[in-house]
Each structure stands twice: as C-alpha cells, then as structure tokens.
Amino acid sequence: MISETKIRTLQQEVQKKNPFELPEEEAYLNLLRTQETLYDHFSKMFKRYGITQPQYNVLRILRGIGGDGVRTLDLVKPMVNRVPDITRLVDRLERAGLISRNQTKEDRRVVLVSITQKGLELLEKLDEPVQFELKKQLSHLEPGELETLNQLLLKARNSEAYVASSNIKDVTEPTASSGKVLN
C-alpha cells in the first residue's frame, strides 16, 4: 500500500504557496486535474487505434442504439463530453468507414447515422483495452469508494437541484465591481 506521505496534494502539484481560499476551489481544480490525467491515458490509447475519445463515444452510442441509427443531433445529448461540431465529427467517422448515413424512406430530409461493421469491429478490438485502462486507473479504489465517488460526482454535477431542494442559503454571484478575482 502506498504511504500517504508519497501522495502529493494538489497544492503541492501546482506549486501553490498558499492554501486554497475555498474548499470548493480546491475540489473543482482537483476534478479538472484528475479528469485531465485520466483523459490523457485514454487519449493515447485511442490514438493507437486512429480515433479520438469523442469519436469513441459516438461509436459506443451508436452500438448501443443499434437498428437503423439516429439523427446526428440526437447524438449530442448522450455524449459524455460535449463537442462543438458534431457534424464534423460524424463526417470524419464516415470517411473512415466506421459509420454510415442513410436517408429514411418516410422523409428523405431525415438522415440517420448508424455504425458500420467496421465500426463494430473496432469497438470489439477496443473493449478489452478500455476495460484494462479503466481497471489500471481506478482499481486501487475499493468498491465502496467507487460508489461514494460516483454519488459525489453526481451530486456535484447536479448542484442546482440539490441547492433548490435543501436549506442551503442562496449563493449570490459577485458583481464585477466587487474587485474579487480568483486565481
């Protein structure tokens, strides 16, 4: 087991001289730092297979939907990471032969995106490496810790709902004239 003294705090990692002013700031920056670390490992893995994380995400969504596919804009909501231009992402996947676009018989204006056999085969090749990477990155956490982490992340992501249903005092947004700058 790793000694707690070998694990550096975020303050040490970013070489911040003074403690964080707010625990919320430290938590937010810890989330960003952790996300960047995990994302980097997965990005390198996906690059070896010639795709990006958002492209992998679209392929997984399409595999899960199956059937005739889905309209391009309907891919945006289930995406884990939002992308600014889903159309270009879909264009690249189509050029690579991983997805196809087909007009519907009912309305030729409607185009459905579906995963191709080549896309399914790529995902099949990636299933095991993705699971390996997930375990490599997070298996040191106990099952209860993973459950707690998931609950806390869900709670952080849905802060407005929690604030509205609790006795938390309304957090007022500072005005531009307050002169307070976070750094």
Side-chain angles (χ1 to χ4, degrees):
M1 186 166 187
I2 294 179
S3 163
E4 292 295 322
T5 58
K6 292 185 180 182
I7 298 175
R8 296 183 334 155
T9 66
L10 179 63
Q11 183 180 344
Q12 293 166 332
E13 285 181 23
V14 298
Q15 301 175 358
K16 186 170 176 11
K17 292 179 184 176
N18 298 316
F20 290 96
E21 204 170 308
L22 298 170
E24 292 87 352
E25 178 186 15
E26 184 176 10
Y28 172 74
L29 295 174
N30 254 317
L31 281 170
L32 290 179
R33 186 75 166 211
T34 303
Q35 187 271 345
E36 186 67 29
T37 301
L38 297 174
Y39 194 89
D40 186 53
H41 288 280
F42 280 94
S43 289
K44 288 176 183 172
M45 180 189 58
F46 291 130
K47 188 175 185 178
R48 290 192 303 267
Y49 290 87
I51 62 171
T52 64
Q53 283 203 48
Q55 289 171 334
Y56 172 75
N57 191 203
V58 166
L59 291 172
R60 290 259 326 233
I61 292 166
L62 291 173
R63 176 172 67 178
I65 291 170
D68 293 332
V70 65
R71 294 179 309 148
T72 301
L73 289 178
D74 292 336
L75 288 169
V76 174
K77 191 170 184 178
M79 293 276 300
V80 174
N81 291 36
R82 303 289 189 243
V83 291
D85 193 349
I86 189 72
T87 303
R88 285 192 198 157
L89 188 147
V90 168
D91 288 344
R92 287 190 293 274
L93 288 170
E94 184 178 32
R95 280 194 300 272
L98 301 171
I99 63 160
S100 63
R101 288 184 172 127
N102 299 298
Q103 292 177 328
T104 63
K105 293 176 184 173
E106 298 81 29
D107 185 346
R108 291 179 43 193
R109 294 171 295 177
V110 177
V111 177
L112 298 179
V113 178
S114 60
I115 190 165
T116 62
Q117 187 60 38
K118 183 178 177 182
L120 290 170
E121 289 168 4
L122 177 61
L123 284 182
E124 193 173 311
K125 287 180 193 173
L126 278 164
D127 285 340
E128 196 173 312
V130 166
Q131 288 182 0
F132 174 79
E133 192 64 40
L134 287 168
K135 289 180 185 285
K136 186 171 91 172
Q137 294 300 318
L138 298 170
S139 67
H140 63 288
L141 297 174
E142 299 291 328
E145 291 174 317
L146 286 168
E147 185 177 328
T148 300
L149 176 61
N150 280 315
Q151 290 171 352
L152 290 171
L153 291 170
L154 183 64
K155 189 172 183 178
R157 197 167 51 253
N158 292 285
S159 62
E160 291 175 5
Y162 282 95
V163 170
S165 67
S166 70
N167 293 329
I168 297 174
K169 294 179 184 174
D170 186 33
V171 180
T172 55
E173 194 170 332
T175 61
S177 62
S178 70
K180 183 71 176 162
V181 177
L182 292 177
N183 53 349

